[in-house]
Each structure stands twice: as structure tokens, then as C-alpha cells.
Amino acid sequence: MRIFSSVAKACTALWAAAMIVGTPVQADSLIENVNGITLNEEGKVVRFAAMVIDDDGRVKELLDRKDKRPKDVDFQFDGKGKTLIPGFVDAHGHVMGLGFAALTLDLSQTKTLAEAQEALRTYAAKYPNRRWIIGGGWNQEVWGLGRFPTAAELDVVVPDRPVYLERVDGHAAWVNSAGMKAAGITSATKAPLGGAIERAGGKPTGIFVDKAQGLFSKSIPAPRPVEKDLALMKAQEILLSQGVTAIADMGTTMSDWQSFRRAGDKGQLKVRIISYAGEIENMIAIGGPGPSPWLYDDHLKLAGVKLYIDGALGSRGALLKEPYADKPGEKGLALLSPAQLKNKMSRAAMDRFQTAVHAIGDQANEEILSAVEELQYTFKGDRRWRIEHAQIVDPMDLPRIARTGTIASMQPVHQTSDRLMAEARLGPDRLDGAYAWKSILESGAKLAFGTDVPVESSNPFPGLAAAMTREDANGQPFGGWLPGERLTRGEAWYAYTIGAAYASFAEDRIGSLTKGKRADFLIIQEDIMLVAPQAIRNIKVEQTWVGGRPVFVNEAIQPVK
């Protein structure tokens, strides 16, 4: 199956239609008649009416309406007055997770337990020969369940083969009785350090949190290389259709990297992927003595390593300084001790791998900041330590992010998805420092935005709207949740482009349409600097270009003959 077949056909037709007949004298391209908008390094808006792209797919020049156009170009495209903006850089996502979520059972749109059971029933009937039913996206908070679901609620739908379904945040698994039996899980099974097994009457209920998910790793059939490649193609199709031209892949495995390389070797790697290896073992296996160079014309690079210090708020695995308001006595799960964290960060920094550490709870964020404060005296230079998520930060710790030069890599849509759950988990008196984008930015720290796809949709436009309003798709709560943390339009857009590029040492190549950078851009109808914030959510990408060439055309909007 060729995922890009229809897109490639449309793009080829578009390219051919725009070609100028004759032998080119110069190898430049001209994108003409556009409402061009980009940000510069200072965050100021730059407008232009045309763009010249060199033969390497880099921006050569931005032109105003009054500027003379180059006469000799080998490619010319008329934008018909539509808006042209830089492609989005997703600072934190899971490429293979996106692809497999689209190819396996997806429960992310289910609103009740009954809907999830019906989706499972339909999927099981459609694929009767699959040994395991794999999927994810469920969220008991959205269902209003008030508890975790159970194996029994899966057994009534699929009793005869294993079912393994990851929670939307990837930090818990919901497994049926056949799945537990296949993995040898019994009442005597103990949870590994950093994990938890939900029990009732001493027996596992079917919920396995954080490192307890690893109990199934040897039982679930590993995807074959052909399946990995298909997932990558599907992920790229989705990302490009939503205007994401580059993404930091958090948790790359060796088999993921091999799939990326196969695509690159075949000329099928369209999205720029900046990899952060999943744990030290994958970092060493992929990078060996250090980060990789940029490969395939800046389409792939191993930049660093992704580590986990705690779990997620939804599964009460986020590590807190004080007990959960809705479960007294529990403070979350420490996936690494402070000493283990510093050891792993030191091992990576020795060979100049960048470290990106998952930290959600206030205790987890305090521990990563303490680690950076200690390590920065040994590992000097521009290290760009990263905290991934930084969702709940003690207000006393906020200034430490800037002081240590740490980058806060955050996901705006998490705030709108998590609002009610965060209030329940923390209580009303502990919300200062929750999803505190403005406070972090005003402290002088660097901010990078992403989606955490497939935990959330990879579409960056809802994230932009959320960052500006702190309201969900229904406009709730009116005026925004903790509205003092809202960002301006420019601040939010910067974090999704230049800020995200900077977070991965890629600001010299991507993130804005300035001279010498890659010509990665989108064509949309709306002026992103003028349209109402809530309307930004509904923006549709008409075309996506990477390296000065079209890689996606939305035929539903703009049919290509």
C-alpha cells in the first residue's frame, strides 16, 4: 500500500502545471502572489508577497510587492493571494505511536465505557484473525467513570483472545483476562519498581500503570518491519495534512530508527524527524559515540535521549510533593531516583547527547531542576536541557527553569483536556504553577510547544488557540482557565515554530522563513495574525511544502486535475 500515492499524484500535477517551459538559466523557484507571514528570531512579524527558493530548497529571498522579481527561474507558483506561513515544528510527539494509533483500535473519540466496548466489539469482528487486539486512547475521566475500567468489562466483549489497550497518555494499560493469562499475570504477580497493578480483593483488576506495562512486553507480538514502515507512512500522511513539517520524536527505539532510515534510503521521508532515543540503551545502539549528523537533506537526526522521572496525572503516576487531593496517601510513582536520574543524564551528556526528561508532577520537576543545577558545573556549554511537559511546577521552582537554561517543552492542548482532572487531582489551592506558560516565559525561560501525539491530536491549530485563550473547543471556561497564563498570538506561534526548533538545536534550519533556512511552509486561507483565536482551531491546510516542494495537497479544498 502506497500511503502517498494520491498525494504524490496531486503534487506532481501541481508541480508540472507550474513549470516554466524552456531550459532554466538559474535553479531558483519563485513562490508568487501570497500573503506571506513569518516570525523572525526576535519574534517580530515579517510580511512578504513572494519568496525565492534556491536549488537546495532553502529560502533565498523574501520579496515585497514592489520588489523586482527574478526573471530566470525554473519553477513558479502562483499562490492566488492565499496565506503562506512556516510549517509547524512539533516539539514533542511519538511518530510511530501516531501511525499505529491510526492502524489499530483507536478509542480516543469514545465518550463512555459503553462506546468503548462497542468499538472493541466492531474491531474484533472486523479482524477475527489477529492474535492480540492492540489499541489505545481510552480515558476514564472523559467517560465520567470515576474509576478505572476493569478486565471484566473487556471480557464481556472479547473473552477468547488477549486485549491490550493503552490509556490516552500511554501511562496505563487496560487488559482483559485472556491478556493477563497470556502474560502469566496472577494474584501473586508483583508490580515492578516504578509501576503499579490495580487490585480488588487481592486480584489484578486489569489496569497496569507505568512500568507494570512492561509485564506484557514479551507476550505481545512485536510489529514486523513491514508494519513499522506502514505506520511511518501513515504518520507522515497525517502530520503533513495538518501542517507539521518537523517533529521531535520522543522515545525512538532502534527498530523505529531503522524504519526511519529505510524511508530515507528510499526517498520516502517527507517529514523532518529529530529523534530522542528511548532510554540510554537505544541512545547507545543508535548513536554510538554521539548524536548523528543531519541525514537525507536535513530530514533525520538523532539529537539526544528521552528519560522518564514520573508518570501521568490521569493515572495518578505524576510525582507530587503532597498527596493527591482525590486519593490521600498517594504521591505518584518515582520512575527514577534522583541519583539514577543524574547518572543517566551524566552518561548522555558525556557524549554530548541532549537530554529530554519527562516530568509532570511538582516533585518530578523539582528533581530534574536540581539535577541540572548540579550537572551544569560539570557539563558546560550550550546543553539545552529539556523538561518534557512541566505540567505542575511549584511556583517557587519556576525561576529555576530560566536560571538553569532549561527549556520547558509543553503541550497547550493538555491544559484544556486535563483541566477538570487537574482540579480533582490537586484541589483548588494547588493550581498555581499548573500549565504555567506565561509565568515560565516571563521568567526568561525558553518555551517550546508540541502535541504529545498520539496522546492528543497532532493538529497544531487547536494548540495555538488553547495557548491564546486557555479555553477548550466549546469556549469553556469562558475567559480561560487561570487566564493569567494566556499567551499572546505571537508568543504562542513562536513556541510552535522557532521555539520548538531551538529546543532541538535546529533553529538554523527550520522554524521560520528567513534566508538560508529550509523552505518548509503551508498554504492556508486565513491570515493567522488576524483571524479570531477560536477560528484558528478550524483552519485547514490546503498545501504543505517541504524543502521548496509540495508534499501534500488537500484535494477536498483544492482539486488538482
Side-chain angles (χ1 to χ4, degrees):
M1 180 179 181
R2 297 180 61 191
I3 295 293
F4 285 105
S5 58
S6 61
V7 174
K9 181 179 178 181
C11 290
T12 300
L14 178 65
W15 187 266
M19 286 295 292
I20 297 176
V21 178
T23 302
V25 176
Q26 298 178 356
D28 290 344
S29 303
L30 176 64
I31 309 300
E32 175 66 292
N33 189 21
V34 294
N35 174 35
I37 317 171
T38 188
L39 296 175
N40 63 17
E41 299 302 320
E42 291 74 43
K44 295 182 179 179
V45 175
V46 176
R47 290 185 176 270
F48 55 95
M51 177 168 58
V52 182
I53 304 171
D54 67 20
D55 192 41
D56 289 328
R58 301 177 191 273
V59 177
K60 186 173 183 179
E61 190 176 10
L62 299 181
L63 303 172
D64 292 328
R65 297 198 180 280
K66 63 178 182 293
D67 293 332
K68 291 184 179 180
R69 304 312 191 237
K71 294 182 179 179
D72 298 310
V73 293
D74 67 338
F75 172 80
Q76 186 168 332
F77 173 77
D78 183 354
K80 302 185 186 303
K82 294 178 181 178
T83 296
L84 184 155
I85 61 174
F88 285 94
V89 182
D90 192 320
H92 182 117
H94 307 276
V95 175
M96 286 303 190
L98 169 60
F100 279 114
L103 297 173
T104 56
L105 175 58
D106 180 11
L107 300 177
S108 62
Q109 300 305 308
T110 59
K111 302 301 182 185
T112 64
L113 172 61
E115 284 186 15
Q117 290 172 313
E118 185 57 34
L120 173 60
R121 182 176 291 106
T122 300
Y123 189 89
K126 184 176 180 180
Y127 299 104
N129 297 321
R130 293 193 175 176
R131 290 167 49 202
W132 281 68
I133 295 178
I134 306 296
W138 59 271
N139 187 343
Q140 81 280 7
E141 299 295 327
V142 172
W143 296 345
L145 207 56
R147 60 172 175 81
F148 279 123
T150 66
E153 287 161 333
L154 292 175
D155 294 343
V156 296
V157 182
V158 180
D160 56 342
R161 52 182 162 147
V163 177
Y164 181 94
L165 306 171
E166 283 194 349
R167 191 179 185 278
V168 64
D169 55 20
H171 287 270
W174 179 23
V175 189
N176 70 347
S177 297
M180 289 190 283
K181 182 178 180 180
I185 305 295
T186 68
S187 299
T189 302
K190 295 182 179 180
L193 187 66
I197 301 174
E198 292 287 312
R199 302 177 189 271
K203 297 181 179 179
T205 66
I207 294 295
F208 298 82
V209 181
D210 286 314
K211 289 191 176 181
Q213 294 170 268
L215 296 170
F216 297 88
S217 60
K218 294 181 180 180
S219 304
I220 298 174
R224 296 173 297 151
V226 65
E227 294 168 333
K228 300 276 287 190
D229 293 352
L230 183 61
L232 174 58
M233 292 298 105
K234 186 64 177 177
Q236 290 193 85
E237 178 186 14
I238 295 169
L239 291 168
L240 294 171
S241 72
Q242 295 174 336
V244 178
T245 54
I247 185 169
D249 185 59
M250 290 292 166
T252 306
T253 65
M254 187 64 195
S255 62
D256 294 341
W257 180 260
Q258 290 171 330
S259 188
F260 299 161
R261 290 299 303 262
R262 286 193 294 271
D265 290 343
K266 297 174 184 177
Q268 295 176 346
L269 198 56
K270 308 299 181 183
V271 175
R272 303 189 193 279
I273 299 176
I274 306 167
S275 286
Y276 290 79
E279 271 293 345
I280 299 296
E281 295 78 9
N282 282 304
M283 179 193 83
I284 295 171
I286 297 169
S292 78
W294 283 96
L295 305 169
Y296 311 114
D297 287 331
D298 294 346
H299 277 79
L300 181 63
K301 175 182 174 64
L302 176 70
V305 63
K306 165 76 177 301
L307 304 173
Y308 286 88
I309 194 170
D310 69 346
L313 205 59
S315 52
R316 296 188 186 87
L319 194 60
L320 301 180
K321 292 184 176 183
E322 300 296 333
Y324 280 86
D326 59 354
K327 200 161 187 180
E330 290 200 12
K331 292 185 178 181
L333 295 171
L335 304 187
L336 294 173
S337 70
Q340 289 172 324
L341 174 65
K342 284 183 284 190
N343 286 340
K344 287 176 180 286
M345 292 176 68
S346 296
R347 175 62 186 86
M350 283 170 52
D351 290 329
R352 300 203 68 84
F353 288 100
Q354 187 185 13
T355 56
V357 184
H358 167 115
I360 288 182
D362 53 8
Q363 180 63 34
N365 279 282
E366 193 278 333
E367 290 181 10
I368 176 62
L369 289 170
S370 294
V372 172
E373 285 171 343
E374 183 174 334
L375 295 175
Q376 65 182 352
Y377 293 105
T378 301
F379 303 104
K380 299 184 182 299
D382 188 6
R383 295 288 176 162
R384 300 191 193 180
W385 314 95
R386 296 177 54 142
I387 298 179
E388 303 304 314
H389 310 305
Q391 287 181 3
I392 313 298
V393 182
D394 188 324
M396 297 293 291
D397 291 327
L398 283 172
R400 300 169 69 191
I401 300 175
R403 281 204 306 266
T404 56
T406 302
I407 297 164
S409 171
M410 305 178 76
Q411 300 76 40
V413 180
H414 279 338
Q415 180 266 304
T416 53
S417 298
D418 295 353
R419 172 175 61 89
L420 297 177
M421 179 264 292
E423 291 176 351
R425 296 287 188 270
L426 300 173
D429 299 328
R430 293 163 59 190
L431 295 176
D432 289 345
Y435 310 85
W437 315 316
K438 191 73 168 184
S439 295
I440 290 172
L441 201 59
E442 289 184 341
S443 75
K446 300 287 187 181
L447 192 61
F449 276 166
T451 61
D452 200 14
V453 63
V455 175
E456 304 281 1
S457 165
S458 54
N459 188 343
F461 291 104
L464 266 182
M468 296 162 61
T469 65
R470 292 178 76 92
E471 296 175 350
D472 63 19
N474 298 315
Q476 295 298 319
F478 180 76
W481 187 70
L482 304 177
E485 297 295 345
R486 291 178 300 197
L487 297 180
T488 67
R489 189 181 303 255
E491 288 168 343
W493 194 22
Y494 190 98
Y496 250 124
T497 50
I498 300 172
Y502 177 88
S504 293
F505 288 94
E507 75 277 11
D508 62 331
R509 300 158 198 269
I510 57 176
S512 65
L513 295 171
T514 50
K515 186 175 180 178
K517 291 191 181 182
R518 293 291 184 178
D520 300 347
F521 59 88
L522 318 177
I523 292 176
I524 58 178
Q525 285 279 3
E526 298 81 357
D527 187 317
I528 200 167
M529 298 306 295
L530 300 177
V531 68
Q534 284 291 11
I536 288 177
R537 290 180 175 276
N538 301 317
I539 289 178
K540 303 297 182 186
V541 175
E542 294 196 9
Q543 296 180 32
T544 301
W545 296 52
V546 175
R549 290 182 178 270
V551 292
F552 167 79
V553 175
N554 190 334
E555 295 185 60
I557 296 176
Q558 187 179 29
V560 178
K561 297 180 180 179

